[in-house]
Amino acid sequence: MLVDSPPEAAAAPAPVTPRRRHLARSAGLVASLAVLAVTAVLGIAVGAKQIPLDQVWHGVFHYSGSDTDVVIRDVRFPRTLLGLITGAALGLAGTVMQALTRNPLADPGLLGINAGASAAVVSAISFFGVTSLTGYVWFAFAGAAVVSVAVYVLGGTRSATPVRLALAGTALTAVLVGYINAVNLVDTAALDKMRFWTVGSLASATLPTVVRIAPFLAVGGVLALLLARPLNALALGDDQARALGARLTRTRVLAMLAVTLLCGGATAACGPIVYVGLMVPHVVRAITGPDMRWILPYSAVLSPVLLLGADVLGRVVARPGELQVGIVTAVVGGPVFIHLVRRRRMAQL
């Protein structure tokens, strides 16, 4: 009697080794950098005024002082540089915020840092007559720093927990927003000067502005990247983080310092741009997993892609005018935020 031989078992998929995972993440990061480079080129080449690519190249590398060269070198190039560094800053700040509060719906505004910077700028305009972006920078940093210290004190200093920090930040944000609205209602001149800044825009970018805020964003970015391992430990909960040797108070203080530098600089230069720091970390986690050593660099690369892409879109859809980048990110980010909230709620049911 012939006996049928058993069918051959399907070959099991090869296990994903740490080395293969590392190579895949590295390749993804290189691809993200390529996408960022293309987006930066679009930021320089595309605008309300159509300029051929050969003239764009000439304006960047062979400046002759013509009207087209002025548009490229003095307007679009600083604007793109500002989008690159502030986008990276907002992405890093959002990632650190979500890790610090262990809340995937957190963004840099949760601790009131954006509101503190905005309140300081309103005060500078209304009470001190500051009208230049250079003056805004220092007031914005001061406001962000004061609010960071206040949140940490209200959160309980050494006994601070993510929930306490979030509650303190929410309370301060409500107070500061009320103050901003009151000043704008009383001082119509301040309202007129603030109305474009509060929307969030890259249109006022200049090379001096980029040079002035770049050191602060660089320090904040390096500090955020160095906190990757402690933030990984913090994600496991306070008890397990202590068992792993993490210094919780130091980690939280340094994380808030990093967010202050990143948000203060970005808000001073561009105004309070929303949702960038919220959306990008969610996309990144789907690519890299929960490891902060990869989430942070990916966020630093992909956040400028989102910000510059939104800026280019705002220039194209409203030609010959333009939509401010803060409006575009809000239009895109609102539905994304609702989707994230609904998905999180369904996961808890």
Side-chain angles (χ1 to χ4, degrees):
M1 177 182 297
L2 296 176
V3 179
D4 293 335
S5 59
E8 295 183 0
V16 180
T17 63
R19 178 177 174 80
R20 291 180 62 185
R21 187 180 298 113
H22 179 83
L23 290 175
R25 289 169 173 171
S26 299
L29 188 58
V30 172
S32 300
L33 287 169
V35 173
L36 177 59
V38 172
T39 308
V41 171
L42 290 176
I44 298 174
V46 178
K49 179 181 179 181
Q50 296 185 3
I51 300 176
L53 287 178
D54 60 331
Q55 295 185 30
V56 172
W57 178 272
H58 185 276
V60 173
F61 297 103
H62 305 285
Y63 185 81
S64 63
S66 66
D67 291 343
T68 300
D69 288 354
V70 169
V71 170
I72 296 299
R73 180 73 70 87
D74 297 340
V75 178
R76 292 186 187 176
F77 186 69
R79 184 171 183 163
T80 301
L81 281 180
L82 186 63
L84 286 171
I85 62 175
T86 56
L90 292 173
L92 287 172
T95 303
V96 172
M97 280 296 311
Q98 292 176 14
L100 180 64
T101 61
R102 295 200 289 271
N103 181 358
L105 299 180
D107 74 344
L110 184 64
L111 294 187
I113 294 174
N114 283 349
S118 300
V121 172
V122 170
S123 300
I125 292 174
S126 182
F127 302 126
F128 299 102
V130 177
T131 57
S132 68
L133 196 61
T134 303
Y136 295 165
V137 171
W138 305 111
F139 280 92
F141 274 124
V146 168
V147 170
S148 297
V149 173
V151 167
Y152 189 65
V153 171
L154 292 174
T157 59
R158 291 185 178 274
S159 61
T161 63
V163 174
R164 287 183 179 181
L165 292 174
L167 289 175
T170 302
L172 281 176
T173 297
V175 173
L176 291 171
V177 168
Y179 167 76
I180 293 169
N181 290 335
V183 172
N184 285 337
L185 287 174
V186 172
D187 189 346
T188 55
L191 174 62
D192 186 59
K193 295 173 184 175
M194 283 285 296
R195 58 195 179 104
F196 290 111
W197 184 86
T198 53
V199 170
S201 173
L202 300 176
S204 300
T206 62
L207 282 178
T209 300
V210 174
V211 171
R212 283 183 174 87
I213 69 167
F216 299 97
L217 300 188
V219 172
V222 170
L223 183 57
L225 293 171
L226 292 176
L227 288 172
R229 289 182 181 274
L231 290 174
N232 274 340
L234 200 64
L236 301 174
D238 289 3
D239 293 337
Q240 293 191 43
R242 289 192 187 95
L244 292 172
R247 300 180 181 180
L248 301 186
T249 300
R250 186 179 71 173
T251 299
R252 286 178 176 137
V253 169
L254 291 177
M256 291 184 66
L257 175 60
V259 172
T260 299
L261 290 171
L262 294 168
C263 286
T267 303
C270 307
I273 297 175
V274 296
Y275 291 121
V276 173
L278 171 67
M279 290 187 289
V280 173
H282 283 274
V283 175
V284 170
R285 275 191 288 270
I287 300 172
T288 66
D291 192 345
M292 293 295 294
R293 293 173 298 176
W294 288 101
I295 295 175
L296 286 166
Y298 263 89
S299 296
V301 173
L302 292 179
S303 294
V305 172
L306 173 61
L307 188 62
L308 288 174
D311 189 42
V312 171
L313 181 62
R315 296 182 230 170
V316 171
V317 298
R319 281 177 173 169
E322 67 176 64
L323 287 177
Q324 306 300 324
V325 66
I327 297 175
V328 179
T329 57
V331 170
V332 175
V336 172
F337 181 73
I338 294 172
H339 168 71
L340 293 174
V341 171
R342 287 178 59 86
R343 188 177 67 176
R344 182 171 173 80
R345 182 181 178 185
M346 293 298 295
Q348 293 174 343
L349 293 178

